[in-house]
Amino acid sequence: MSQSYATEPPPTGLVRLHLSPSSYGSLDIALFYSSAPAACSVFLECGIKGQFATGFTRVMKDVLIQCGDISNSNSNSNSNSKPTHKLPPVPELTPRIRFNHRGQVALAQSTKSGDATGDADGSFFVTLREADWLNGQHVIFGTVVGSSIFNGLRVGGIEVPGDGSEDIVRVSRFEVVEDPSK
């Protein structure tokens, strides 16, 4: 098991997502800023702007949880289009960081297969188990650390209503514990 973590770069920042209802605790995410600076920047910008308050709107039971506005509208905007962020033409994919264990955090982005350039809508997902079929398709920019992974697993066990109701787990506060750019 330790071999799967040996290839990841050392984390260079830490973000804490406080979840609501508060019984879900928080998710601590160590960032790989040195390997994926653009993806980390998109994640930080969206989190600071409150874009993740929409909550975990996609749950694939025991596989992954996705947070952010995955609909065709952004709840924090009057426009009908989602904000997108251009990723750099040089892909931040690296064979060192793979979906080989639970807790990997990646941008949910529109890409061509095997090419991590494209538009990032600010949504992110957390794997709840190994997911090798995602390798080469999404930029992994962090990993859930410590016992907070169990909070993610709890979120992964809920049923998400498709009616936009209030019965979903949301990010009530986005806290930058360690700024990765410093």
Side-chain angles (χ1 to χ4, degrees):
M1 184 75 143
S2 63
Q3 194 173 21
S4 66
Y5 299 94
T7 60
E8 292 177 2
T12 52
L14 182 68
V15 171
R16 180 167 295 135
L17 307 180
H18 298 271
L19 306 180
S20 175
S22 60
S23 61
Y24 283 94
S26 63
L27 288 177
D28 292 344
I29 300 173
L31 301 175
F32 302 139
Y33 192 82
S34 60
S35 297
C40 285
S41 295
V42 167
F43 176 71
L44 290 167
E45 179 184 338
C46 292
I48 290 167
K49 288 182 176 179
Q51 187 170 333
F52 303 140
T54 55
F56 289 91
T57 51
R58 181 176 181 210
V59 173
M60 294 175 66
K61 188 170 175 60
D62 301 324
V63 177
L64 65 83
I65 54 177
Q66 184 171 337
C67 184
D69 189 359
I70 61 170
S71 67
N72 208 14
S73 66
N74 181 338
S75 61
N76 296 333
S77 170
N78 292 332
S79 75
N80 288 332
S81 63
K82 290 194 302 188
T84 58
H85 307 270
K86 280 287 185 202
L87 294 178
V90 177
E92 291 182 326
L93 289 174
T94 173
R96 289 180 50 201
I97 312 172
R98 307 185 60 75
F99 290 103
N100 58 358
H101 61 86
R102 67 182 177 195
Q104 296 293 61
V105 184
L107 284 180
Q109 62 202 51
S110 56
T111 64
K112 299 174 200 155
S113 182
D115 178 13
T117 61
D119 296 327
D121 64 9
S123 297
F124 71 93
F125 64 90
V126 177
T127 59
L128 303 178
R129 66 180 179 101
E130 184 177 336
D132 9 340
W133 66 92
L134 296 173
N135 288 330
Q137 296 180 41
H138 301 275
V139 175
I140 301 170
F141 63 86
T143 189
V144 177
V145 294
S147 61
S148 70
I149 185 62
F150 297 110
N151 296 334
L153 292 169
R154 284 184 57 218
V155 173
I158 64 172
E159 190 137 335
V160 176
D163 59 4
S165 71
E166 298 296 314
D167 297 332
I168 63 173
V169 177
R170 299 181 187 284
V171 175
S172 60
R173 193 173 86 182
F174 185 90
E175 177 186 2
V176 179
V177 178
E178 293 176 28
D179 188 344
S181 63
K182 295 186 179 183

